[in-house]
Each structure stands twice: as C-alpha cells, then as structure tokens.
Amino acid sequence: MVRPDELNKAFAAGDTAAVIAAGLAQEKARTVLDIGAGVGGLAKALSGRGYRVTGIDPNPETIERARRDVADVRFDIGGAEALPFPDTEFDAAVFMNSLHHVPVDLMAKALTEAARVTRRGGTIFVIEPLAEGPQHEVMRPVEDETAVLDAAGRAVADAVRSQLLELRGNVVYQRHQPYADAEAFIQRLVEIAPSRVAVIEEKRDEVVRLFAASATTDTSGRQVLAQPLRIYWLRVPD
C-alpha cells in the first residue's frame, strides 16, 4: 500500500499522473482503463509504472498517434458513453480532464459505463479542472468551459446520490503545466479538441497576449500555467 506521504507529495507537486498512480497503488489496482486517453500521455506514464493500461478516445487521429508513440498499451477508438469492453474488465477507470468533453446529456451514461466495466469494489478517478486559474483564463477566448465543467461536477454528484458510485475522497490541488511557449499551448488545445482550429486562428493574438501575461517561468526556462484541479476518488459498490 502506498504511504500517505507519497500521495501528499504527489498532490503538492501537482503531478496528476503521480497522484493517480499512488491512488491505484493504494487500491491495489493493476488493470486500468484510461477514458479519453488523447495522445496517450497518462497511459504512457501509468504503463511506465507497471500498470496494464487500455486507452480509449473517440478521435481516430489522436488514437493513431498514441498507438505510434506509446508502447505496451492497447488503444481503442470509442466514446465514453458506449465502452466496448465486458463487464468488470478493469480494476480501475480514469477520466483525466475528459468527462467534461463528453456531451452533457451523455455524462451520466459515461459514468454508468465506467462503473460497468470496473470490477465491484474497484476505483474510478475523475479529474476535472476548476473554472478558474491562469490556464482557464488563457483558454477562455477559445472555449469557455465553465458550463461543461459545472455539468461534469453535477454528473459525478448525481452518480453518488443515486448510489451508482461511492465517494471516497474529493481533493483540490494545483497543477503547474509547463509549455515551451504560447504556440505549444495552442497546439495542446488543438490536440485535445481539433474542432477548435477555426476559433483559435481567429483568437490567436488574444491567446498569445493572455499567455504572456499569465505564464510564469520555471527554473528550466519553460513557461508554466497554473490550473486548479479537483479529483473525485470514487468506488464501485460491491
């Protein structure tokens, strides 16, 4: 079992992959479903720590890149609301900054599907940004996610109230995300949601200006945007 100081250290560092890995170790999970895997960053980090990871994302282009760049991880194309896996297939499931990208009317279904494919007594982590902080403000001209972030939080609360899931913990911590420059930040926005390309081109100058005003510089010279995140630590009832 992971020591409490290891988990606290991961929270203090704002290292989401380390937080998730520590939580999985505490729950003795080995098989993990990464829902909304994108280009495979989290899957790679967890696989490197010895977890057997499967990633799924609805975007074929990001899955193609993940398959190319991340070894020893299975990646499938599909939406969170219709997971193509058997019941109780995984020890744990993770939504890392992805539940709010599910259409609002399908968020409840996505959580139901995550509970279905996770074993009884297994763990589901939902990590969501708060609608505040420097990174949120820099991306606001491209997409103001306040409403969908609120909807994701309500979907989790509804899943707990309905006893679909049990809430084991709810922690807010600060992530400090490094970027080489404003263009790297913009590229990340496109990777997450390619549909943003047109509005990014329209708002590029404003985003670059806000990035310059909001980013800090770390010891290696990288530009850093802070973003508060909330992690819901959930359990599938027995």
Side-chain angles (χ1 to χ4, degrees):
M1 180 177 290
V2 68
R3 300 193 311 272
D5 61 316
E6 292 177 359
L7 188 57
N8 290 337
K9 182 179 179 180
F11 278 125
D15 185 338
T16 300
V19 167
I20 294 169
L24 293 171
Q26 184 163 313
E27 297 295 333
K28 296 181 170 59
R30 301 309 308 162
T31 57
V32 183
L33 178 62
D34 181 6
I35 303 173
V39 296
L42 176 64
K44 182 177 182 179
L46 294 180
S47 177
R49 289 172 166 89
Y51 294 96
R52 191 160 73 250
V53 185
T54 299
I56 188 165
D57 194 280
N59 187 330
E61 293 181 0
T62 58
I63 288 296
E64 180 181 356
R65 177 174 164 185
R67 287 171 175 166
R68 184 180 67 244
D69 294 347
V70 183
D72 301 322
V73 173
R74 170 186 170 185
F75 290 100
D76 292 313
I77 299 169
E81 71 281 2
L83 297 173
F85 307 109
D87 295 356
T88 67
E89 175 83 354
F90 303 97
D91 295 331
V94 180
F95 293 86
M96 191 179 83
N97 294 357
S98 59
L99 183 59
H100 70 277
H101 289 291
V102 176
V104 172
D105 60 345
L106 295 177
M107 288 180 180
K109 178 62 174 172
L111 291 169
T112 299
E113 280 287 274
R116 177 185 67 79
V117 303
T118 302
R119 64 170 170 80
R120 305 309 92 183
T123 300
I124 296 176
F125 290 119
V126 178
I127 300 93
E128 287 289 303
L130 302 188
E132 59 187 66
Q135 179 152 314
H136 176 78
E137 295 304 320
V138 175
M139 76 168 291
R140 190 193 289 267
V142 175
E143 184 175 356
D144 186 346
E145 294 186 322
T146 302
V148 291
L149 292 173
D150 180 66
R154 284 187 280 106
V156 172
D158 288 346
V160 173
R161 277 193 291 266
S162 70
Q163 299 183 345
L164 172 71
L165 298 169
E166 299 170 354
L167 181 63
R168 297 197 59 200
N170 175 352
V171 178
V172 173
Y173 65 100
Q174 192 93 328
R175 181 189 68 199
H176 296 274
Q177 183 65 46
Y179 299 95
D181 51 28
E183 289 303 317
F185 171 73
I186 289 170
Q187 182 57 39
R188 178 61 177 156
L189 294 183
V190 173
E191 286 179 354
I192 294 170
S195 60
R196 292 168 172 163
V197 169
V199 68
I200 283 175
E201 289 309 309
E202 179 185 346
K203 300 289 186 177
R204 178 180 293 272
D205 290 347
E206 185 177 359
V207 171
V208 170
R209 177 182 60 79
L210 288 171
F211 184 93
S214 303
T216 59
T217 304
D218 68 11
T219 55
S220 64
R222 297 175 301 178
Q223 301 298 291
V224 176
L225 289 177
Q227 175 62 56
L229 301 175
R230 184 185 304 276
I231 180 169
Y232 299 93
W233 191 318
L234 303 158
R235 179 181 184 274
V236 180
D238 294 321

